[in-house]
Amino acid sequence: MARDGHAQLETVPDERVGRARDAVDAEGLVEAARALVRIPTSEGRETPAQEEVARLMEASGLVTDVWPIDLDAVRAHPACAWEIERAEALGVVGVLEGSGEGPTLVLNGHVDVVPPGDERLWTHPPFEGVVEEGRLYGRGALDMKGPLMAGLFAMRAVRASGVPLAGRVLLHSVVGEEDGGLGTLATILRGHVGDAAIVMEPTDLAVAPVQAGCLNFRVRVPGLAAHGAVRDKGVSAFEKLFDLYRAIGALETARNRDVGADPLFERYALPFPISIGTMRGGEWASSVPEHASMEGRLGVRPDESLDDARAALEAAVAAAADADPFLRERPPTVDWWGGRFLPARTDPGHPVVTALAGSVAEETGAPARLEGVPFGADAGLLEHVGGTAAVLFGAGDIRRAHRADEYVEVEALSRMARVLASTIVRYCG
């Protein structure tokens, strides 16, 4: 990799690459993405969308594997994490077969989405899939039903072009990514792994061979109840909580102080953040609160173990508590719950990275940007559990995800599909 963060390689013109890229059905891609956005898939309601993806795979000529996931068996695996209790889940994989003489490439995407929030804040209803001024709006348009369909239409284009493949391509359509990756883990345990994988998260068409991890945590803080009229006779759990909050903020600063050591994260001021998402406590407005808690997300460095990350947060909370006479006698607790994402790193010189970077350069006319991403995704499971080298690549800006008026540019989806079609031929051909 060059010092400017761009992949350097020779791009060899190949008539087969052009045939596959030019066969992408851009209009069909957008209509399929719109149809998928119209199926709500938050809070574990993923089966209807999975059935639609399976139908689209079959219509594209892919061989499909559709199976009911044994949730109890998957949850028993040590790498499993989840927050949503599901009564059912469906696994879906589409296969584009080659001659069997080349490597297997996985395209991985998820159908589940986060809840839309207050729908009054949306310009367009979140589940209507409106296209306006070159943008597809809706919950999941960006993260990541649009990119998932770009992967499917890339495979469809390769098949339609008649370009022969030595290797094979697998399209993972998974559930449960947003709350920890249960669907990808189930797909790995089913045996659907490869030599390399492209996780189709939004990277704004940058090639991301490095992904941070993350952990959910909860800190419970005690207080001493008293009537609010004599609050000096009690100890507010909120006041103690805010002391710990400041200690966690200091830990965040320390953990991000030397980010320049990894050039793939140099554009981020805070690549490994610690974000507090909820605070709760107290029982009555006129009582001094005797308990409080905060829940948050701890960013994990790419080369850091989850155990070391946990230990760092626990040590910071313990040190702050030890400095307070009240908390020294009544120490707060730290619980680890819900979503958990393993970090991942693939060598920038890996063939899947260079194939993808070459396809981006050919599509855009400029060297591909190589960057790390600060969010958790399923690349960690593919690498550490599935033994599959993973890189992230997709259309759209992650800053548009998880908010009202989520959207992805239609042209970016088409470009993504063309890049993926080219990459399939380069890597599997």
Side-chain angles (χ1 to χ4, degrees):
M1 186 182 69
R3 292 181 182 178
D4 61 2
H6 292 126
Q8 303 296 306
L9 74 164
E10 294 294 327
T11 57
V12 180
D14 189 327
E15 176 267 340
R16 295 172 302 166
V17 172
R19 277 166 53 197
R21 184 179 61 244
D22 294 343
V24 169
D25 176 6
E27 292 184 5
L29 162 57
V30 173
E31 287 308 307
R34 293 181 69 190
L36 205 53
V37 168
R38 294 186 186 117
I39 304 173
T41 51
S42 62
E43 301 173 6
R45 300 171 295 173
E46 299 126 327
T47 296
Q50 285 288 74
E51 292 170 341
E52 172 65 8
V53 173
R55 185 191 69 78
L56 289 168
M57 287 178 175
E58 291 168 358
S60 301
L62 305 186
V63 177
T64 60
D65 182 18
V66 181
W67 74 98
I69 294 172
D70 185 339
L71 291 170
D72 289 339
V74 176
R75 287 170 181 154
H77 193 281
C80 191
W82 72 94
E83 297 174 26
I84 297 169
E85 293 296 333
R86 293 171 173 82
E88 64 174 16
L90 205 62
V92 176
V93 171
V95 183
L96 180 61
E97 294 286 1
S99 68
E101 299 175 355
T104 295
L105 178 65
V106 171
L107 304 182
N108 175 276
H110 63 86
V111 298
D112 59 304
V113 300
V114 300
D118 187 349
E119 296 191 19
R120 294 171 297 181
L121 299 177
W122 289 72
T123 304
H124 306 288
F127 298 114
E128 285 195 3
V130 171
V131 174
E132 184 175 275
E133 296 182 351
R135 297 171 174 175
L136 170 60
Y137 287 88
R139 179 58 87 227
L142 170 72
D143 184 17
M144 61 181 295
K145 293 175 178 178
L148 175 61
M149 289 297 96
L152 174 60
F153 274 74
M155 293 171 68
R156 176 184 283 197
V158 173
R159 185 175 183 275
S161 71
V163 171
L165 298 179
R168 63 205 293 260
V169 189
L170 309 180
L171 178 60
H172 292 182
S173 180
V174 304
V175 304
E177 189 276 342
E178 295 288 359
D179 63 313
L182 177 149
T184 288
L185 179 59
T187 303
I188 291 169
L189 297 178
R190 182 80 168 178
H192 293 298
V193 294
D195 298 283
I198 299 173
V199 180
M200 298 177 291
E201 293 283 355
T203 64
D204 202 20
L205 300 183
V207 177
V210 184
Q211 171 208 290
C214 67
L215 292 160
N216 279 11
F217 65 88
R218 181 184 298 112
V219 181
R220 301 180 190 270
V221 186
L224 181 64
H227 195 291
V230 287
R231 72 175 184 87
D232 58 320
K233 304 302 180 184
V235 176
S236 170
F238 282 130
E239 292 180 11
K240 302 303 179 185
L241 180 143
F242 290 134
D243 289 340
L244 299 185
Y245 179 91
R246 285 187 285 271
I248 290 173
L251 174 67
E252 178 188 63
T253 299
R255 286 173 60 80
N256 287 274
R257 188 168 288 130
D258 60 345
V259 294
D262 192 332
L264 294 182
F265 286 99
E266 63 185 5
R267 83 177 180 97
Y268 293 98
L270 204 63
F272 315 115
I274 308 176
S275 175
I276 303 299
T278 69
M279 289 185 175
R280 301 180 179 88
E283 301 290 348
W284 194 251
S286 60
S287 295
V288 176
E290 63 183 0
H291 64 86
S293 67
M294 55 183 164
E295 295 174 338
R297 172 198 183 278
L298 169 67
V300 179
R301 291 168 173 265
D303 302 310
E304 179 180 35
S305 74
L306 297 187
D307 285 342
D308 286 348
R310 291 186 188 101
L313 183 80
E314 290 171 358
V317 171
D322 191 60
D324 181 280
F326 180 83
L327 291 182
R328 189 182 308 133
E329 299 299 322
R330 306 163 185 81
T333 61
V334 180
D335 302 320
W336 301 95
W337 67 282
R340 178 178 70 240
F341 292 91
L342 294 162
R345 183 186 292 274
T346 295
D347 189 321
H350 190 285
V352 74
V353 179
T354 57
L356 183 57
S359 297
V360 171
E362 194 166 71
E363 172 67 26
T364 65
R369 292 178 290 121
L370 262 64
E371 298 179 351
V373 294
F375 52 83
D378 282 345
L381 285 169
L382 287 160
E383 176 186 324
H384 297 290
V385 182
T388 303
V391 59
L392 293 87
F393 172 78
D397 188 338
I398 192 65
R399 292 173 295 181
R400 301 287 180 186
H402 293 207
R403 59 184 292 182
D405 286 342
E406 175 182 342
Y407 72 83
V408 65
E409 295 85 357
V410 168
E411 177 56 28
L413 284 180
S414 298
R415 282 193 153 189
M416 177 185 174
R418 292 195 294 269
V419 167
L420 291 176
S422 299
T423 302
I424 290 168
V425 174
R426 289 173 183 271
Y427 186 75
C428 298

